[in-house]
Structures are given as structure tokens and as C-alpha cells.
Amino acid sequence: MRLNTAQFLISQAWSAILRNGAITGAAITNISVALCVLGVFVLTAYNLQAQAMQQAAAVEITVDLAKDAKRAEVEKSLRANERVKAVRFVPKAEALEGLAQRWGLDFSTLSRVGNPLPDAFRVVPVKPDDIEAIAEQAEQIPGVAEARYAQQTTTKLLKLARGIKLAGLVAVIILGTASLLLVSVTIRLTIYARRREVRIMQLVGATNWFIRWPFLLEGWFQGTTGGIVATALLLPGYAYLASLISSNLGFIRPVQSTELMVALGIGLVLMGSLFGVLGSLIGLQRYLQEV
Amino acid sequence: MIHIQDVSVAYPKGIQALSGVDLHFERGEFAFITGASGSGKSTLLQLIYRELEPTRGQVIVDGHDVSQLPRHRVPLLRRKVGVVFQDFRLLPMQTVWENVGFALDVIGATKRDKHHRVPLVLELVGLADRADAYPDQLSGGEQQRVCIARALVNTPPLLLADEPTGNLDPVISLNIVQLLCDIADRGTTVLCATHDTHIVDAMQRRVVALVQGVVVRDEKTGGSYDAA
Ligand SMILES: Nc1ncnc2c1ncn2[C@@H]1O[C@H](COP(=O)(O)OP(=O)(O)OP(=O)(O)O)[C@@H](O)[C@H]1O
Ligand SMILES: [Mg+2]
């Protein structure tokens, strides 16, 4: 494209944006509302999932040792597994003490009766997802009597986390499509208002791309601005809410990570610009069918 | 330059706008297309810049069959054809200057070229002092002249003028048509649809007369409806 033409098209787009101030404003509002809803959904899903994962991560595997087990070798084998984050030895006395505490019994009385508990290792997985595999592998190690964990709770939590992830994805797709439609309808309105202009351009010999560019730039501008507005509303809002929740409801810990915020912001802006451009392309298609 | 061979145009609802039209125009020729309102003058011109396709027959412009033209070549055809539309078709949000310049923007002309040519054609149609006005601030005749200026500005080899004097007073009308004739004499093919008999009489050029979509008369030189 020649520089003259590029300059001309950009100035056309810009003056159209200024001229159609009301429609441009409506389009930007639409896009930012849609993206805000999307963002709220993503944040909610992300937090629910993080919560479930956190709970699941608290689950440990208890690896009971057989009577004749060689403790050092079992520990070595356990640590050799790269999916294992931490391994801690729990002598049977400590285990009994824990038991006594949990049931409110007197430890010294209990230990006089005798300690039926085996020595054990507490194993923490790197990812909660791996808990089942680690337990199975641990049982293969010579000297291990049994590997136990709170199976039901963990599986439920993991299932929940996966479900939330999936539901979030589906919601993002649905909401994304809805916002795309919204944008394309808005842009179609802009184009409808200028359909005579479009026709005149065609009749004096403008190519369809020449006609498209200013609209695409306009759509891109609207989408990007919408994304920036959504980010500017959502991120501080979330940060405020998150700090409010974590200081007042101690048991819920909202995710407060800069990385997540940056990723969300970039995601919303990119999504806005993509929607703007795609929306104008879709909206234009009808009017540029005939030549 | 233009070959119209056995062309018929039927609009939906059975309106037969043109039937069996055969016409040939040489390069640099000037011709009036005359006929009563609704006789098919605009339809004939629309075929040439492919706003319409014929229902039957062929329209060949500068060696290309217009109906066979692939979509992406249509803009290139239209750049070779300057059109003065009967309804002007000016961009309402652009000034006179921008409207005329637009025909140059479309072909990627340089800023320099634009600043050279736009004032020239505006001068030619007598609108140099209205360059910054918007179309709705102009009289009908002034809008018509903007449209003429836009059609002329990139010196197309073919010029179609649909009632270019419909809103002009007799003196300006004659000036404009004289201008079109001069342009034709410099090698541009010019077709001018009109029902202004005075002008046709005054110029004594080729006349093609239509009645209800049929060519009833085609003379090398002549007055308005005298022989019809
Ligand atoms: N888009 C259309 N749809 C249906 N009929 C049309 C259409 N355009 C024109 N016609 C009809 O075709 C016939 C020829 O119209 P055309 O516009 O070519 O006439 P014209 O000679 O230019 O008339 P005028 O001098 O009033 O401009 C008329 O009967 C008109 O009603
Ligand atoms: Mg007409």
C-alpha cells in the first residue's frame, strides 16, 4: 500500500470516529461491558479453581512402612520421583501422638497399651492431579506396606476443579461469541448509516479493500479502547474486592497475583481489538457483496 | 471504445427498460442520448460502468466484456469511466474539495498531484470559491457542477454525463456542454444523456434517441427531435 493511501485511509478512519462520536461511544461501551462480563467470569472461575486446587494440594499421601523396611532406601525411592514435592518421616510415636490429640486421648496412657501404628512417610505431590499415580508408584517400592490418602475428598476436589475449568472455557466461548456479535451489529449500524457513502466509493472506483480499511481501523480502535476501558474498570475493582474479602473472610483467599492481572489485562485488550476487527469484517461483508 | 450489442435490460416486475439496443461509440466521440423521462437513458449509461448488467446481449468497454469482468477488476473499469450522476451522489460529510479529491485518493494519487488538479477542475466548473462548502450548503446546480468536477478530475478516457445540465440555468448549461465537447475533442469519449432540446440543437453533434427502451434514431449530427 502506498504511503499516500495509508495516510488517507487512517485520516478517513479517524475523522469517521470523531464524526460518529455517539455511535463510537456506544460501540466502545458495548465492547467494554461485554469484556467486563467476560473478565468477571474468568476471574470467578479462576478463583474457584484455585480454591479447589489449594484444598486438594493440602492432601498428603501417607506411606506406611512394613516392619522390616529399610527406611533410607524407601525415602530415596520416594524422593527420586520428580512428581513429589516433599517427603517427611513420621515415626510411629509421632503418629500415635497425633492420633491421641485428634481423638482427645491421653498419649501416655495410650502408649502404655502399645503402639500398633507403623512408621510412615508423609509425601506431598507437586501437582494434586498426580496424587493417585504417586500413591500407586509408592506401593511398588519394596518395604512399603500401604500408601493412603483422602481419596474421596481429593478426587471430588480435582473433579470440581476440572469442571470449573471446562465451564469457564465454555462460558468464555459463549460470551466471546456474544460480544463478537454485539460488535459486528454495532459496526453494521455504522456501516448502514454510511451505506450510500460506501456505494459512492464503489462507483468512483474504490476497491473493496480501500473501503474496508477505514472501517477495520475504526473497529480496531473501538475494540481496543473497549478492552482498555474494561481492564481499567475490572482490575482495580478486583484488587479492591480481593483485599476486602481476604481481610474480612479469612478462610477465603482470593488469588492476588500480578501475573494474573497483567495476563487478564493483555487478554482483554487483545480480545477487544480482535473482536473489533472481526466484527467490522463480518458487518462489512453484506455491504460489499455487490460490486 | 464502447460496443453495445443487442442489449436488453429487464427490471424485476417485468419492466423492459431497454430492448435490442445496438450502439457503437468511437474513441473521442461525443454523443447525446435523448428521450423522454423513463425511456432508458440512465439505464443505458449504468450498463457501461457496470452498475447494471444486461439481461441479454454484450457491453464491451475498451475491449472488455463488462459482464465477464471478475469482481476485483470492476473498480479498475470504473476508474476509466468518469460519471456525472443524475442524482449527484456526493459524499455528504466531505467538502467540495474533498469530494473532488476523493476520485484521486481512490487511485492513490500523491498529495501534490491532488493540490494541483483539484483547484484546476473546480476553476473549470466555476466553483473555486466554494471549495470548503459541504454539499448540503450548495444549490442543486452547484452540486451538479461538483459532480462534473469529480468526474473530470482524473481525466478518464470515458465520460458519462447523466443530465449534467438538469439543474443549471441556460447560460451555464451551454458552457458546461461546450466544456464536455471540448473534452471530447481532446480524445475523451463523452456520452451525455439529456432532454434539453436547446442544447442538442445548439451543439449539432451525434444524437441517439430512445423511446421506451428502443433506439429510434441515431444520427451523426443533428438537432433534437426533428427527424424522430
Ligand atoms: N431500479 C429499478 N427498478 C425497476 N425499474 C426501474 C429501475 N430503474 C429504472 N427503472 C425503470 O426503467 C425505465 C427506464 O428508466 P431510466 O432511469 O433509464 O429512464 P431515464 O431515461 O433515465 O429517465 P429520466 O429522464 O427520468 O432520468 C423506467 O420505466 C423506470 O421506471
Ligand atoms: Mg435518468
Side-chain angles (χ1 to χ4, degrees):
Chain A
M1 196 189 297
R2 291 188 226 180
L3 190 61
N4 285 317
T5 309
Q7 261 176 3
F8 175 74
L9 294 176
I10 291 170
S11 75
Q12 287 276 297
W14 183 243
S15 63
I17 288 165
L18 295 182
R19 206 164 51 216
N20 305 327
I23 293 185
T24 306
I28 292 172
T29 311
N30 275 349
I31 295 173
S32 44
V33 168
L35 289 177
C36 269
V37 172
L38 202 71
V40 166
F41 218 91
V42 168
L43 282 174
T44 311
Y46 194 92
N47 270 294
L48 285 176
Q49 204 218 349
Q51 207 72 33
M53 289 303 265
Q54 233 171 54
Q55 304 270 335
V59 176
E60 296 172 328
I61 307 168
T62 307
V63 178
D64 290 340
L65 294 182
K67 285 246 158 30
D68 54 350
K70 296 198 173 75
R71 183 188 145 191
E73 267 167 40
V74 173
E75 183 165 356
K76 217 167 104 191
S77 306
L78 285 173
R79 284 191 194 281
N81 191 340
E82 62 205 11
R83 292 194 275 197
V84 166
K85 187 159 86 182
V87 177
R88 190 172 65 87
F89 181 65
V90 183
K92 56 183 177 184
E94 189 185 325
L96 189 66
E97 200 177 334
L99 196 70
Q101 240 169 36
R102 222 174 311 150
W103 296 100
L105 300 172
D106 180 42
F107 174 61
S108 52
T109 335
L110 203 61
S111 51
R112 243 176 287 130
V113 177
N115 186 350
L117 298 174
D119 285 335
F121 284 106
R122 289 273 160 77
V123 176
V124 182
V126 177
K127 283 190 294 179
D129 281 309
D130 293 335
I131 205 159
E132 195 177 341
I134 295 173
E136 267 172 28
Q137 277 171 13
E139 287 195 324
Q140 306 300 317
I141 299 170
V144 170
E146 198 187 0
R148 295 175 289 124
Y149 61 96
Q151 193 158 13
Q152 274 195 331
T153 324
T154 318
T155 353
K156 261 189 201 155
L157 281 172
L158 288 177
K159 238 188 202 156
L160 184 67
R162 271 179 224 132
I164 292 168
K165 209 180 204 168
L166 192 70
L169 201 69
V170 170
V172 165
I173 290 172
I174 292 173
L175 286 173
T177 315
S179 352
L180 187 62
L181 278 176
L182 196 65
V183 175
S184 82
V185 166
T186 316
I187 298 257
R188 196 181 290 174
L189 270 180
T190 328
I191 299 164
Y192 183 78
R194 277 153 62 189
R195 68 196 181 287
R196 268 179 57 86
E197 246 177 289
V198 168
R199 188 68 190 141
I200 294 169
M201 291 179 188
Q202 286 182 324
L203 289 180
V204 299
T207 59
N208 277 351
W209 272 108
F210 187 89
I211 297 170
R212 250 182 223 128
W213 271 113
F215 283 109
L216 291 190
L217 283 174
E218 207 177 323
W220 175 81
F221 173 83
Q222 290 173 355
T224 309
T225 312
I228 292 170
V229 171
T231 308
L233 290 175
L234 205 58
L235 295 197
Y238 176 77
Y240 175 70
L241 203 67
S243 69
L244 205 67
I245 287 176
S246 59
S247 60
N248 288 314
L249 304 167
F251 55 96
I252 303 175
R253 319 199 117 270
V255 182
Q256 281 167 304
S257 102
T258 322
E259 273 163 48
L260 173 66
M261 296 295 106
V262 170
L264 188 69
I266 292 176
L268 287 178
V269 173
L270 285 184
M271 221 154 178
S273 31
L274 183 74
F275 285 1
V277 171
L278 274 182
S280 351
L281 265 181
I282 296 170
L284 274 165
Q285 208 40 49
R286 278 224 350 240
Y287 291 96
L288 297 182
Q289 282 298 325
E290 55 174 326
V291 286
Chain B
M1 186 73 182
I2 303 172
H3 300 284
I4 295 170
Q5 293 163 350
D6 189 27
V7 163
S8 298
V9 173
Y11 284 114
K13 292 189 195 158
I15 298 169
Q16 190 74 22
L18 290 176
S19 343
V21 172
D22 262 300
L23 287 169
H24 303 274
F25 301 95
E26 300 303 318
R27 194 173 294 273
E29 192 166 19
F30 181 100
F32 286 114
I33 315 288
T34 66
S37 181
S39 57
K41 303 183 293 295
S42 299
T43 303
L44 183 67
L45 297 185
Q46 282 166 9
L47 288 171
I48 296 168
Y49 61 94
R50 204 183 181 276
E51 184 162 8
L52 265 182
E53 285 186 66
T55 321
R56 213 185 70 204
Q58 279 186 319
V59 177
I60 293 166
V61 177
D62 206 10
H64 298 286
D65 184 338
V66 169
S67 315
Q68 301 294 317
L69 221 52
R71 255 149 65 93
H72 69 275
R73 297 286 302 274
V74 172
L76 301 181
L77 165 75
R78 290 188 181 143
R79 291 175 196 186
K80 285 193 270 183
V81 187
V83 184
V84 181
F85 299 97
Q86 190 168 9
D87 53 356
F88 317 145
R89 308 221 184 168
L90 298 174
L91 296 168
M93 299 298 191
Q94 316 250 322
T95 64
V96 167
W97 208 99
E98 288 163 344
N99 262 287
V100 175
F102 188 73
L104 290 173
D105 293 320
V106 159
I107 60 171
T110 61
K111 225 179 193 150
R112 204 145 164 256
D113 207 16
K114 249 168 71 175
H115 281 269
H116 173 66
R117 289 210 253 170
V118 174
L120 220 62
V121 283
L122 286 180
E123 188 71 46
L124 208 57
V125 298
L127 281 179
D129 54 334
R130 302 303 311 263
D132 294 325
Y134 286 88
D136 62 2
Q137 299 167 339
L138 299 178
S139 74
E142 286 168 334
Q143 291 181 38
Q144 190 149 38
R145 283 182 280 158
V146 177
C147 192
I148 294 169
R150 182 180 62 189
L152 294 178
V153 73
N154 60 2
T155 54
L158 180 56
L159 188 66
L160 308 177
D162 198 349
E163 303 287 359
T165 60
N167 293 276
L168 304 178
D169 63 58
V171 178
I172 299 184
S173 291
L174 216 57
N175 284 341
I176 290 286
V177 174
Q178 187 59 56
L179 174 68
L180 297 181
C181 284
D182 292 346
I183 288 166
D185 292 342
R186 276 185 261 145
T188 299
T189 311
V190 180
L191 304 188
C192 176
T194 186
H195 35 218
D196 188 334
T197 54
H198 296 293
I199 285 175
V200 179
D201 287 339
M203 305 311 295
Q204 294 294 314
R205 291 284 192 137
R206 180 175 172 186
V207 178
V208 173
L210 290 172
V211 172
Q212 293 189 351
V214 178
V215 177
V216 295
R217 183 180 151 225
D218 182 1
E219 282 175 27
K220 272 272 170 280
T221 61
S224 56
Y225 303 96
D226 44 6

